[in-house]
């Protein structure tokens, strides 16, 4: 019998800036025992939310990174036939070759089900998987159980995990999938929210540096034809780079001098467009 949700509620974490609406949908999803599907562009904090929930509620975090070629059974369990074959051939293993269960290893969903305490299960980038994987996975999560065919055994969750599912919206999810999840879209932080985020990471930094960096960052994000716009992670790393340069002065940002563009832009075309934009501004 699976355990139901506890009375604990999510209130945020030490390095995760949370708005009230997001906190509410997390707690509602836990109360209703439904997966929470998060959409938004990369860098909006979807994945980090699962880490924050685990930290705040003192739960272990188990992460399933979905791959395009992944089969659902890989997320449930793996039967290590190769090791069993080698053990039977060479006979130097302590395992009982006749006992197939000794060669069953739990996948990430299986680990969450078998855990002796409640966990946070992050299923990251579900949109990479095909529709069958998505729908079959939710069948397992609805039932909180799955079968291991090789040993004719049903694994039932000892505790119902807190399930967070992320999507970068690169591919549409099926209607049945969407219907069985709670949903929240995490918008990219506006400048006000971004300043709050930065204050957590850089509590002692000067206002001049923070203001200049935020203004330049959003100006660069708005450039046309950018393939991969810099996200919060890039901004944080950029500020770290600026702070690490002993010759850098915050007033350079106001002059349009923006060093270390390679920290913000990871694609050659984007880097060149940003560099061209900055050089043109310096001409006037």
């Amino acid at each position: 019998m699976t355990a139901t949700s506890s009375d604990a509620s999510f209130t945020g974490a030490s390095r995760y800036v949370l708005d009230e609406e997001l906190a509410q949908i997390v707690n509602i999803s836990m109360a209703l025992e439904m997966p929470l599907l998060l959409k938004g562009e990369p860098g909006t904090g979807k994945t980090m939310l699962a880490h924050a929930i685990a930290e705040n509620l003192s739960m272990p975090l188990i992460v399933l990174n979905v791959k395009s070629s992944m089969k659902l059974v890989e997320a449930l369990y793996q039967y290590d036939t190769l090791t069993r074959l080698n053990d039977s051939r060479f006979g130097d293993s302590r395992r009982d070759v006749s006992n197939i269960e000794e060669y069953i290893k739990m996948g990430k969903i299986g680990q969450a089900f078998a855990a002796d305490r409640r966990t946070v299960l992050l299923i990251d980038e579900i949109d990479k998987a095909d529709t069958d994987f998505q729908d079959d996975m939710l069948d397992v999560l609805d039932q909180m159980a799955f079968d291991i065919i090789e040993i004719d055994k049903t694994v039932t969750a000892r505790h119902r995990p807190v399930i967070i599912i992320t999507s970068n919206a690169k591919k549409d999810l099926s209607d049945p999938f969407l219907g069985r999840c709670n949903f929240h879209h995490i918008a990219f932080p506006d400048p006000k929210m971004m300043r709050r985020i930065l204050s957590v990471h850089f509590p002692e930094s000067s206002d001049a540096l923070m203001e200049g960096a935020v203004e330049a960052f959003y100006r660069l994000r708005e450039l046309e034809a950018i393939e991969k716009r810099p996200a919060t992670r890039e901004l944080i790393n950029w500020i770290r780079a600026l702070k690490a340069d002993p010759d850098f002065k915050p007033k350079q940002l106001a002059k349009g001098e923006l060093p270390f563009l390679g920290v913000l832009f990871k694609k050659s075309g984007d880097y060149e467009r940003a560099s061209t934009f900055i050089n043109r501004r310096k001409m006037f």
Side-chain angles (χ1 to χ4, degrees), residues 1-3 112-113 115-119 144 156-161:
M1 183 175 181
T2 61
F113 283 14
D116 58 7
R117 55 184 296 201
R118 197 178 189 200
T119 68
M144 283 287 125
T156 301
R158 299 177 64 182
H159 304 274
R160 180 180 290 272

Side-chain angles (χ1 to χ4, degrees), residues 16-34:
Y16 191 91
V17 178
L18 183 72
D19 63 54
E20 184 177 352
E21 183 181 4
L22 182 54
Q24 288 176 343
I25 193 66
V26 169
N27 288 313
I28 287 171
S29 298
M30 289 194 292
L32 298 179
E33 299 183 342
M34 293 178 66

Side-chain angles (χ1 to χ4, degrees), residues 47-174:
T47 299
M48 290 308 300
L49 176 62
H51 291 262
I53 295 170
E55 176 192 327
N56 184 242
L57 301 182
S58 299
M59 295 180 184
L61 174 66
I62 295 176
V63 181
L64 171 61
N65 293 303
V66 177
K67 309 296 182 185
S68 59
S69 59
M70 182 176 285
K71 303 300 181 185
L72 178 61
V73 68
E74 298 173 46
L76 303 179
Y77 71 94
Q78 293 95 42
Y79 170 31
D80 192 350
T81 54
L82 181 59
T83 298
R84 186 176 181 228
L85 176 61
N86 287 335
D87 286 351
S88 65
R89 289 176 61 191
F90 302 111
D92 56 356
S93 172
R94 296 181 180 179
R95 288 180 288 262
D96 180 359
V97 177
S98 64
N99 183 5
I100 295 178
E101 191 162 0
E102 293 200 29
Y103 298 90
I104 299 294
K105 179 181 178 182
M106 289 296 169
K108 297 298 185 179
I109 294 177
Q111 291 172 28
F113 283 14
D116 58 7
R117 55 184 296 201
R118 197 178 189 200
T119 68
V120 176
L121 174 60
L122 169 61
I123 301 171
D124 207 19
E125 299 188 343
I126 188 62
D127 48 328
K128 288 184 176 179
D130 60 30
T131 300
D132 288 342
F133 180 103
Q134 298 166 17
D135 294 343
D136 292 345
M137 181 192 71
L138 279 188
D139 285 339
V140 170
L141 297 180
D142 279 348
Q143 298 165 12
M144 283 287 125
F146 63 88
D147 294 328
I148 300 178
I149 300 173
E150 289 82 359
I151 57 176
D152 193 23
K153 177 181 178 179
T154 298
V155 175
T156 301
R158 299 177 64 182
H159 304 274
R160 180 180 290 272
V162 177
I163 302 168
I164 305 296
I165 304 173
T166 72
S167 169
N168 289 329
K170 292 182 178 179
K171 185 169 61 178
D172 289 338
L173 304 175
S174 71

